[in-house]
Amino acid sequence: MPEPRKAVWWRYLIGSILIVLLSAGAISTAALLEVKRVSTALSQSPRIQAAKFLTPDQAGAPQTIMVIGSDRRYAGTDASTSGRTDTIMLIRMDPNKGQTSILSIPRDLLVNFTINGATYTNQKVNAAYTYGGPDGALQVVKAALDGIQINHVVDVNFKSFYAVIKAIGCVYVDVDHTYFNRNVGTAATDYANIDLKPGYQKLCGYPALDYVRYRHTDSDFVRVARQQDFIRAVKEQVGVSGLLDNFGNITQAIGKSIETDFRGTTDTLRLLKLAAFSLTKPIRQVKFQADPLDIINGEDFVSATPDQITATVSDFLHGNQHVQVKTAFHAESALRKSRSFASIGLYPAAPTDRQAATVMAQHAHVPVEFPTLKTSNGFLTDEHTYAIRDAHGKLRRGYRIDWRTDAVGSYYGIEGMKWTDPPLFRNASTQTIGGITYLFVNDGSHIHDVGWRAHGMLYWISNTELEGLTNPQMLSLARSASLLHVHDASLHDASGSQADGATAVHQGAGTPGTPGADGVTTPAPAPDTTPSSTGPPTPAD
């Protein structure tokens, strides 16, 4: 079926409900006092009647929750219709494992199904929601995933995301590459304006929405990974105190903006207890195993064999991978001794790349480290300096250097800034190697970021959104980094004192043309075509 134009951006809305699912339990003992309030908030919205497709949960047992991002109550949408969905995600919280697993179902997954006596063939999985609402989506997803047991379902609309972001404030995000579009009314530019440079920055309001909904130069899988990374960033930043400060507003907003089968204090208490356990655990992104795109009647589909489906479900339910840092270190040490990095796809950095970084470093006003290795398919795409206000309002200098690989939407880079304890590394694991303590941000068995502190700076190597770099590659790139020596005395200022000078400040922190949440004026982009704050933005294509 044709892709509804306005069903594009809802995937990121699941972030709001996931924030609550992962964070609500943080209040621990205090949660018991809030159970009734949460239960009352959830009861404000219509109840999804899907009992015949749901498996009753048990106290203390794992729970699998299906989250749907839809426009069911989108302004201008007939309330009697099912609406449209761009997101179907499964979240598994298991007290027996030290992680929360997330599996995004590709919206283009090829399925055949029967709903209300009507048979539909060669359909995308999100069509099940249009034809059958939450019940239809639940029925088709269960059938597509080998009858997987699902305990609860939540249907989120756009109000949830706005309410939660408004309540918690802006979010620090490590943007992986340049995102740019200026809508000038042509077919090629007919989507929301966006202007973000790579690097760590604070995103608020529409820039945050534009970032997570962007879909024009990458794949569905890359977009899913970016959105899950955004969720992880929110989880790390908000923490217990942030949740407590805004708990009432969040629960009230969520209750009015979702539809769910959750009802009563028993369901709510079980959820909060399980979420309490999950709060401090890492989020594990489960890869949906599928074949390359199929084209049927001119439309793109994602197809998966029965074996791929079985492997995906097994990984989601039973996977418990963790990064083996010591194993990666021993492998990297052997490579370093034999100088055979080519065996893992790494080669000496191109002289032109180093020259470009050196030119940037001459005006960076911070010590710049640069990896002497790069991937075989790495192509330098960006090098720039920036300044960012930390959580206490102090302006900190930094820089980012980016490489693109030959995979669609895949960029990795090295970054450094004088803010040495950002939320990104708040719950990082550590390992001392060769006298340097490295910080690891992991996603299951993959290293997503590896950082280290030196020269009064925090440096780190960031993986691609799809974590296309292997653990030995990530560690080798980090260990190959060394200080660029340039004739600029300001590079040796490692005091971490407040930045000054003309270093550009990242955009995206506030309303264009006005002082943003980070206190820095953001240049105004071209006029946006989205409606004002009185209504939702126009979804991207």
Side-chain angles (χ1 to χ4, degrees):
M1 97 180 233
E3 185 82 21
R5 184 177 183 276
K6 291 189 176 181
V8 171
W9 64 297
W10 299 110
R11 186 190 311 274
Y12 71 84
L13 294 176
I14 63 88
S16 51
I17 187 63
L18 181 56
I19 294 166
V20 173
L21 294 178
L22 294 178
S23 303
I27 52 179
S28 188
T29 304
L32 300 177
L33 304 177
E34 297 289 347
V35 169
K36 185 173 181 180
R37 179 153 58 138
V38 177
S39 178
T40 300
L42 292 175
S43 68
Q44 296 177 31
S45 61
R47 182 174 188 175
I48 293 177
Q49 303 295 332
K52 62 181 178 180
F53 301 118
L54 293 173
T55 301
D57 60 0
Q58 303 295 324
Q63 284 193 33
T64 297
I65 302 169
M66 186 171 85
V67 180
I68 302 169
S70 75
D71 62 357
R72 172 179 278 260
R73 291 189 290 178
Y74 178 83
T77 299
D78 186 347
S80 65
T81 65
S82 295
R84 299 155 296 190
T85 178
D86 189 60
T87 296
I88 301 175
M89 182 176 287
L90 298 181
I91 305 163
R92 184 167 179 82
M93 294 183 287
D94 188 343
N96 299 316
K97 295 183 171 67
Q99 61 196 13
T100 295
S101 298
I102 304 177
L103 173 65
S104 292
I105 314 301
R107 65 159 187 262
D108 296 337
L109 181 65
L110 178 63
V111 293
N112 300 316
F113 55 84
T114 299
I115 293 179
N116 299 325
T119 299
Y120 303 90
T121 59
N122 293 338
Q123 297 289 323
K124 297 182 178 182
V125 71
N126 63 353
Y129 184 88
T130 300
Y131 294 129
D135 284 7
L138 182 61
Q139 172 189 344
V140 172
V141 168
K142 283 175 62 70
L145 300 184
D146 291 342
I148 189 172
Q149 293 186 348
I150 298 174
N151 306 111
H152 295 284
V153 60
V154 180
D155 185 357
V156 188
N157 71 21
F158 70 90
K159 294 181 181 178
S160 301
F161 185 87
Y162 286 115
V164 172
I165 294 299
K166 181 179 179 180
I168 66 175
C170 306
V171 180
Y172 287 105
V173 177
D174 193 17
V175 176
D176 62 324
H177 68 91
T178 297
Y179 293 82
F180 179 80
N181 180 61
R182 186 179 297 273
N183 192 325
V184 294
T186 64
T189 65
D190 190 20
Y191 57 96
N193 290 315
I194 186 169
D195 188 2
L196 297 176
K197 285 187 173 295
Y200 201 64
Q201 55 199 280
K202 182 186 284 188
L203 297 183
C204 308
Y206 284 110
L209 305 187
D210 293 340
Y211 171 69
V212 295
R213 72 182 180 177
Y214 188 84
R215 59 172 294 175
H216 294 275
T217 59
D218 50 32
S219 69
D220 193 27
F221 293 105
V222 174
R223 186 166 57 255
V224 166
R226 184 190 314 122
Q227 291 158 353
Q228 292 182 353
D229 193 49
F230 182 84
I231 293 169
R232 185 186 297 110
V234 173
K235 175 177 175 287
E236 294 296 339
Q237 181 177 324
V238 173
V240 177
S241 60
L243 178 73
L244 286 172
D245 291 342
N246 304 289
F247 189 72
N249 292 335
I250 292 174
T251 54
Q252 287 298 319
I254 290 292
K256 294 177 181 179
S257 305
I258 70 173
E259 296 183 22
T260 181
D261 69 294
F262 280 107
R263 283 298 185 274
T265 56
T266 300
D267 280 353
T268 305
L269 181 57
R270 286 178 180 173
L271 173 66
L272 292 178
K273 284 183 175 180
L274 193 55
F277 175 84
S278 300
L279 177 65
T280 58
K281 307 304 178 184
I283 293 177
R284 184 176 72 100
Q285 178 183 332
V286 179
K287 180 181 179 180
F288 193 100
Q289 299 185 29
D291 291 327
L293 290 177
D294 289 333
I295 299 179
I296 301 176
N297 296 327
E299 288 194 73
D300 292 335
F301 288 86
V302 172
S303 62
T305 66
D307 287 345
Q308 288 174 323
I309 292 292
T310 299
T312 296
V313 172
S314 177
D315 187 16
F316 175 67
L317 296 178
H318 309 298
N320 192 26
Q321 302 98 328
H322 297 280
V323 170
Q324 301 297 324
V325 174
K326 289 185 177 180
T327 300
F329 166 63
H330 290 314
E332 195 275 341
S333 295
L335 292 170
R336 185 173 294 275
K337 290 178 181 179
S338 64
R339 305 186 68 84
S340 59
F341 290 102
S343 64
I344 61 169
L346 295 181
Y347 297 87
T352 53
D353 292 0
R354 187 178 185 88
Q355 181 180 6
T358 301
V359 171
M360 178 206 69
Q362 290 174 349
H363 308 284
H365 300 281
V366 294
V368 173
E369 289 208 3
F370 181 82
T372 58
L373 297 171
K374 76 176 191 68
T375 61
S376 59
N377 55 4
F379 178 78
L380 185 71
T381 59
D382 184 271
E383 68 286 333
H384 74 280
T385 61
Y386 65 82
I388 180 175
R389 291 198 183 276
D390 64 18
H392 303 290
K394 180 175 287 187
L395 197 62
R396 303 288 193 175
R397 292 188 183 277
Y399 73 94
R400 167 89 180 200
I401 303 172
D402 249 20
W403 287 267
R404 184 186 73 236
T405 72
D406 53 12
V408 175
S410 293
Y411 297 77
Y412 74 92
I414 184 171
E415 194 157 354
M417 63 179 180
K418 286 192 174 181
W419 185 10
T420 58
D421 60 345
L424 175 63
F425 288 94
R426 181 165 292 164
N427 291 305
S429 59
T430 61
Q431 181 76 38
T432 300
I433 302 172
I436 299 176
T437 299
Y438 289 95
L439 313 173
F440 295 94
V441 176
N442 307 328
D443 180 8
S445 60
H446 297 95
I447 296 174
H448 193 73
D449 300 280
V450 54
W452 64 98
R453 297 184 176 98
H455 320 299
M457 298 275 289
L458 170 68
Y459 300 95
W460 70 94
I461 300 289
S462 59
N463 209 331
T464 68
E465 290 290 6
L466 290 178
E467 294 169 343
L469 274 62
T470 66
N471 293 345
Q473 284 180 323
M474 289 290 291
L475 189 52
S476 295
L477 287 171
R479 297 198 70 200
S480 79
S482 62
L483 191 66
L484 286 177
H485 295 286
V486 297
H487 299 292
D488 186 342
S490 63
L491 295 181
H492 304 289
D493 174 16
S495 65
S497 60
Q498 180 167 316
D500 54 12
T503 300
V505 177
H506 272 146
Q507 295 191 35
T511 303
T514 63
D518 63 356
V520 179
T521 300
T522 301
D528 202 338
T529 58
T530 56
S532 67
S533 59
T534 58
T538 302
D541 296 344

